[in-house]
Amino acid sequence: MNVESLTTAVIALAVVGWVIYRQLTWQVVNPSRMWRMPLILAVIGVVELAQVKGGTTVSGVDFAILGGELVIALGVGVAMGALAQFRTRPQRESDVASGRPTGESSGWDPMRTVVESRTGGWGAALWIVMIAVRVGIEFGARSIDNSALIASTGVILLVIAVNRVARVAIILYRMDRKKLVAA
């Protein structure tokens, strides 16, 4: 196992664990905070893909596989957003102390409510299924086309970013329809 493979495995396990934790716990809905991770992952993914040039030719098969992966990630993200549960609770002093914005003013107000969301066990299960499908596609694709692009960290990060973008978009859309106000 080379250093790049080990790095990819560690990054993948960390992201999978982090997302599963976030799926199972109630999180204050803060749109700017929700968009942060997908955008960072997408930027890092694009930078990583730009560095895969050496000795790798990109074929039509590569683009087809990447497109298929992105469509699957998008679909799973939409499903996760649709599964999201919402609840409101009174604002806590820790919501302000932890640096979380709480709306119009940044001070603590025990009369203010915050919206929390989670996708729960089904969301975590969908996340695991998406990762398993992504790994299966990678192994299957290697037998068709031995391009380094398919296994690159950049593609993995882009797939995760697309999944998270779809999830956030659906959650915020649903909140808007329910007239829930995010933090």
Side-chain angles (χ1 to χ4, degrees):
M1 179 177 262
N2 63 25
V3 174
E4 184 179 344
S5 296
L6 184 60
T7 302
T8 300
V10 169
I11 290 171
L13 286 175
V15 171
V16 168
W18 169 258
V19 172
I20 288 173
Y21 167 77
R22 303 272 300 180
Q23 300 298 320
L24 298 174
T25 58
W26 290 100
Q27 303 291 322
V28 174
V29 176
N30 179 333
S32 64
R33 190 169 178 219
M34 292 172 74
W35 286 115
R36 193 175 309 145
M37 181 178 151
L39 294 177
I40 290 170
L41 291 176
V43 168
I44 294 171
V46 168
V47 168
E48 286 285 325
L49 284 176
Q51 296 174 356
V52 177
K53 299 176 203 165
T56 301
T57 58
V58 180
S59 68
V61 173
D62 291 326
F63 283 117
I65 292 168
L66 177 59
E69 284 188 75
L70 294 176
V71 167
I72 290 168
L74 185 71
V76 171
V78 167
M80 292 169 98
L83 285 171
Q85 304 163 339
F86 302 104
R87 74 177 184 187
T88 57
R89 65 161 172 80
Q91 182 188 49
R92 298 180 191 136
E93 213 168 344
S94 62
D95 293 334
V96 176
S98 67
R100 295 182 192 166
T102 57
E104 316 268 330
S105 69
S106 59
W108 175 61
D109 181 357
M111 301 305 289
R112 186 178 290 138
T113 60
V114 295
V115 178
E116 294 182 319
S117 174
R118 72 174 181 181
T119 57
W122 286 111
L126 275 175
W127 176 250
I128 291 168
V129 165
M130 188 192 83
I131 297 300
V133 167
R134 199 280 170 222
V135 170
I137 287 172
E138 181 179 330
F139 284 116
R142 282 187 182 180
S143 66
I144 297 169
D145 184 11
N146 200 18
S147 170
L149 182 70
I150 295 168
S152 78
T153 304
V155 169
I156 294 167
L157 293 176
L158 278 178
V159 167
I160 293 169
V162 165
N163 172 267
R164 303 282 81 196
V165 162
R167 178 187 159 274
V168 170
I170 296 299
I171 285 174
L172 295 178
Y173 171 76
R174 289 182 57 217
M175 284 183 60
D176 185 51
R177 292 206 51 205
K178 291 181 179 213
K179 308 252 187 278
L180 295 171
V181 178

